[in-house]
Amino acid sequence: MALTDLRDKLVADLGRDGVIDDPAHLRTYECDALTGYRVVPALVVLPRDAGEVATAVRACAEHGVPFVARGAGTGLSGGALPTADGVVISLQRLRRIIEVDPVNRRAVVQPGVTNLDISKAAAAYGLYYAPDPSSQQVCTIGGNVAENSGGAHCLKYGFTANHVLAVDVVLPDGTPTRLGGDAPHQAGFDLLGAFVGSEGTLGVVTAVVVRLLHTPATVRTLAADFDSTETAGAAVTAVIAAGIVPAAIEMMDNLAIQAVNEAVDAGFDPDTAAVLIIELDGPADEVEERFAEVTAVCTAATRVTIARDAEQRARFWRGRKAAFAAVGRLSPNYFVQDGVVPRTRLGEALARIAAMADEAGLRVANVFHAGDGNLHPLVLYSEAAGEHERAEALSSAIAELCVELGGSLSGEHGIGTDKACSMPRMFSTDDLETMKRLRAAFDPAGLCNPGKIFPTPRLCGERPGPYRPHPLESAGVIERL
Amino acid sequence: MKRELLDVCVHCGFCLPTCPTYVTTGDEAESPRGRIYLMSLAERGETPIGGAFTEHIDSCLGCLACVPACPSGVQYNLLIEAARPRIEQEAPRSLGERSFRRLVFGLFPYPRRLRVAAVFGVLYQRVGIRPTRLLSRLPARVRALESLLPPVRVRDLFARTPRATPPAGSARRRVALLTGCAQRVFFGKVNAATVRVLAAEGCEVVAPRGQGCCGALSLHSGRDDEARRFARRTIDAFGDGYDAIVVNVAGCGSTMKEYGELLSDDPAYRERAAAFAAKVRDVTELLAELPPIAPRHPVEARVAYHDACHLANAQRITAQPRQVLAAIPGVELVDVPEAQICCGSAGVYNLLQPETAEELGKRKAANLTSVKPDVIATANAGCLLQIGRFTSDGTPIVHPVELVDASIRGAAAPKGG
Amino acid sequence: MKPATLAELRDAVRDTDGPLVVRGAGTAAGWAGTPLPGATEIETTGLDRLLAYNPDDMTVAVEAGMPLTRLQAELAPHGQRIALDAARTPAGATVGGLVATADSGPLRHSHGGPRDLVIGVTVVLADGTVARSGGHVIKNVAGYDLGKLFCGSFGTLGVIAEVVLRVHPLPPATRTVALPCDAVEAVDAAGRLLAARLEPVALEWCDGSLLARYEGGPSSVERRAAVTPGTPLDGAAEAKAWQRVGDVSEEQTVVRCGTRPDQLPYVAKHATRVASSVAVGVHTVAVAGDAEVERLRAEFEHVTLCRRPPGSDLPAWGRPHTAVPLMRAVKQRFDPAGRLGAGRFAPWF
Ligand SMILES: Cc1cc2nc3c(=O)[nH]c(=O)nc-3n(C[C@H](O)[C@H](O)[C@H](O)COP(=O)(O)OP(=O)(O)OC[C@H]3O[C@@H](n4cnc5c(N)ncnc54)[C@H](O)[C@@H]3O)c2cc1C
Ligand code: SF4
Ligand code: SF4
């Protein structure tokens, strides 16, 4: 009843072509890039501007119907998973770059603009948008804001949260507001900071003001081969300990390299156990000095290839950025995991993951942001061979291992639907209840992307997994009262 | 629609920004990922063929921009070629739809019929007679059909390529030229330029008689059996004895390179088809292979090169035409925004999905003219027509080989049309 | 009350009644609004331990009452620092106090403020709930980021008890160049330095000079300083120049405001002195009197009052920006009884 009313209202306001209700058509919206979770929505709307977004949200609020914003649907945690009987609000028709302001080094864009298109528009002024998720050619800035997305170069430059000055948001009751301001100084609470990374649960973004940086003067990149992931991990620690802040340090193990080499002609050595891509950027002489130090630190490498020109560097990155999807060539199915460990425990984490994989009889490919300890183990399996459950269990166990090692359940892909049930491993009930107070302040009716981030009995069973003391707690460093 | 092929898609979305229908609609079902999802649902019997399935598969341009964009290696060309016949077989179309399709498929693959239609087209254009009653029932499509007829001189319509042209000097290659169906009628001068350039570069050029449509139009629209018939006839017409089969229409070249797969279930033709396919070369591909021997004269021009989908995506030929053009003294190649997005012509797409085609055509024309070129070059007949239809500023649009021809002959850059 | 452990802090909050006001070292006690009289004071300076520090991970966890100078002294022997240089640091400002006020200094140009450096917090809410968010790794998106929410909360959402920060390497060398110029020229000159890819870590316009500071290897720093227009400063002059930047905060009436960078001239025209991070558009502005503050607020939305002369009845906040209703809603959920820091956000709430 509410849904029929709502549909008629939305058709009246957004036009026939802005509302999808055909059952087969709706199914194309039932999942994001994490296809293991699928829920068919009742309606999909495709608003054309911020006004239509507000209209749609207000209509949902008035009808008491839950809704979820959707960007490019490249999320890997089921963040844009619809609610049955709910509405998907796709932002793919809000794709205008409203303004590039070279004097103040910022751009104002609609939420459906892709991450890469911002940099393309800024390029005319020698500027770019720094956070660079591997999915940057397709993921939207709205999705990036929701997930606080990172990328290879976030080691030096920081994440989405550090590059967004303001967002225009439609609050879950349909009220438009602006969070943040013209500069990184807000009068009052940093609501912008709290909003970025809130996984679409606090409102729908209709415009984003991003900072732009000048493209660096010099970029130097090398690919260093290692005979084990442990020695590669040790090299990462050594670089950082030398006081160097590279623009990026990425690692791929042999399985990932194989996949990448098949997908793009990146030219990595197919026989090496692990490769580190290390990039430095900045003023020429600074980069040269530091680059020499990095090369010196990589003594354990079996081979170091220094990119001779922009083309070869681009090839390294094309390879690295295609890695997740390229793994589709090695295995019919796989899970992308995303966890963080303290950098100094990288080697240990990789060794334990390898042992866990052996035990489960599954292959795990590793391709990740080594510089900030952000692991992306890819658990390969075959649905047809009935390996799904084993793979899922292994993947969850890896995420929880990260917490056990003093890290985090997620470095950039978000908790979404996928890890909501694991949250009690990292946070106590009080922690989660406190976070829910923030949610309730934004969305008292609980209609905005419900069922994400926080464990629910429906998703996790009656009792979500038990809280385990954080290792620092066990070590007496922090106390839990 | 084979399960193994469908399962290669990991739903990452990397193909979305390259897909012209997605870029214009923002609708998941109008994206490669969405279409594959629908195919997958259909394969599992979870959605019927027809309805949304037909709508979104029909709207696919078949431009294959999604193929090189896919890191996972999805063979979308095979998927869409398998999906289209399912619609033809299982989902009845409306009467109007069917008669229009019959008109298109009854006309384009047959040069002689097309020539007659084109004569009328010339008459329309000259005398300004409006379309007949029958056609006016399908307004947008007729607009598309009519404006596809380029301003041609009647004499050009009947120009034929000579059966054999000797090389200048000693022969480096003996090649057979596909003179094309639509191409032969509308672009006699592109064929003439191709023959002159190849001969100047030391090729003996044969234009086998009895060749007709290569089957591309049929294949791209799900009319498989018809495509196979055309393929067999083409193989027979060409016979053996050539170093290469040269094609100057990207859509035809990509299909002919697939003859091996197309006829893989036909024991009588299987091997010949594979051998034939292995010899197919786009004209720019061949020219890039042959170190130039004919002297080039300067052609002072800013050239915007448009990648025809069937060249860039289906055959992965992007460097060679640029290399060939850049080798012309005086030519300045300029980068074009949204280069990877299709112009909307894609075979007979502009006839079957005229609104989207029109939108894409305008977008492409705007992007191309934004860099203020003197000449636009593209290696496909469909693109030439489509872009010409939407560029209002009179920028000439030519086949790259025409520029090479002009350079070798020392002529000025060719005018469009 | 001066609790010495997290448990004592929790008990102090839970087992008392009535309004509370949080105090660190008191270096920003005059910022924002004046707390209503009669509130019990909770001082955090008893919570001053270093909780965890592993230099190779480049993160450090401290109790909120630790003064930043002391923390820097712990890090320096390992060649590391917190990239935060708020003017009140030498006066003893605590880490928690700097977070609660979202204070920062010229390094904000390259490193941002507390919001960009805090990777985890433990807070005690008005009802005694102890909650953590974030963690001990620099990259972490699990759960809401309460650390950022508490930036600029001025003790009104909860008591910050522990803070985890990311650390940065200490630079091998630094060099500052001073270019005399007015506000309009400063905006231009800053843009040119950035466009020249010289990557200064700080770009501050103060007292008629644009100060560009470079950090990095000695030769690179020298080279960059040499190509920068203006006069390279020697050690003593350099220290003095940056001292003056900090001094602006000590004037009688001071606000911090955020604008588009090219608005600096419009800010400067109201000011007696300005220390402006000109390329990011965050300005510390000393003005002649209350009326000037009101004029700034009429022009710019995000203005925070940092100092006013004793006896001034200037309201702490100007016309509410669009997110103020949302701030009220958050306050309502975190502290429904309104115990914490009543008066700080008057007249907004
Ligand atoms: C191959 C591959 C590689 C990837 N690499 C990286 C990587 O390197 N780093 C990284 O951080 N991530 C990566 N991701 C994950 C993903 O691309 C990011 O999370 C991205 O930010 C999602 O953007 P999207 O537009 O696809 O959002 P969606 O997936 O559509 O949505 C993601 C979340 O954002 C919310 N949302 C979307 N738009 C809005 C809006 N306008 N307002 C409010 N909420 C909104 C949704 O509700 C959902 O919760 C990768 C994904 C893939 C498939
Ligand atoms: S890029 Fe390939 S794998 Fe990814 S969604 Fe598109 S077709 Fe599927
Ligand atoms: S072939 Fe072209 S139109 Fe069809 S799905 Fe691929 S990119 Fe889109």
Side-chain angles (χ1 to χ4, degrees), chain C residues 181-207:
Chain C
C181 60
D182 66 23
V184 177
E185 290 160 356
V187 173
D188 270 7
R192 279 197 304 274
L193 287 185
L194 294 178
R197 274 74 170 170
L198 291 172
E199 292 195 15
V201 289
L203 259 185
E204 196 82 3
W205 183 70
C206 182
D207 294 342

Side-chain angles (χ1 to χ4, degrees), chain B residues 18-21 30-32 35 59-66 76:
Chain B
T18 65
C19 174
T21 54
E30 286 286 299
S31 78
R35 291 186 174 110
S59 64
C60 169
L61 289 125
C63 70
L64 303 188
C66 47
Y76 184 83

